[in-house]
Amino acid sequence: MAFTDPVALMPVPGTGKYCLIRPLHYQIGFYGSDLTVTVPDGFLTDLASVPRLFWIVVPPFSPDYAAAAVLHDYLCEWNGEMFSKIVADAVFYEALKVLGVPTWRAILMYAAVRAWHITRSWKVDPVGVGSPGSTTP
C-alpha cells in the first residue's frame, strides 16, 4: 500500500472543485500487490466533503490527506464496476494511514464516509410501501 506519486491539484475557479493535473497512482493492500489504481489527470474532486461545523477537526482541504480524498472520490465513481462503496471506504482508511494521518482522525473520517454511504443507500419509496419503518406490507 503506497502512493507512488505526490498529488498535484489545481483549483477550478467558480466550481469549488480541484482538477488533478497529473495521474495519481495508489497500490492497494501491500507493496508489490500488483493491484494499482490510477486516477487519471483531469479528474475533478471536491476533496473531503466535510460539513463546516467540523472543519476545526477535519479541514476539508488539508494536504495531509488530499491524496486519500482524491483516491476515495475516484473509487466511489467506479461504484458497481470494480469497487463497491464499502471497498472504496476501506481503501480510503488504508490510504489515510499510509499518509500518516493519526489513527483517531482516520477512524473519524472513515466512520463519516461509511455513515454517509449507508444513509445514502436507503431507498425511500414515495408511497411508503417497503420503506424503512413503514407499517404497510
Side-chain angles (χ1 to χ4, degrees), residues 92-126:
F92 176 59
Y93 178 78
E94 176 187 271
L96 290 169
K97 295 304 296 168
V98 164
L99 292 170
V101 173
T103 300
W104 69 269
R105 182 171 281 150
I107 290 171
L108 178 69
M109 293 174 76
Y110 169 78
V113 296
R114 276 306 314 133
W116 175 254
H117 287 147
I118 288 168
T119 59
R120 299 287 292 169
S121 69
W122 283 87
K123 303 288 186 217
V124 177
D125 182 348

Side-chain angles (χ1 to χ4, degrees), residues 3 19 25 28 43 48 58-59 68 89 97 100 112 128 133:
F3 285 98
C19 180
H25 306 280
I28 296 175
F43 179 74
V58 182
D89 295 347
K97 295 304 296 168

Side-chain angles (χ1 to χ4, degrees), residues 72 78 107:
H72 183 254
W78 269 10
I107 290 171

Side-chain angles (χ1 to χ4, degrees), residues 129-130 134-137:
V129 177
S134 173
T135 58
T136 55

Side-chain angles (χ1 to χ4, degrees), residues 39-58:
V39 184
D41 61 332
F43 179 74
L44 294 177
T45 179
D46 64 354
L47 294 177
S49 303
V50 180
R52 187 175 289 275
L53 173 68
F54 301 111
W55 284 14
I56 191 77
V57 179
V58 182

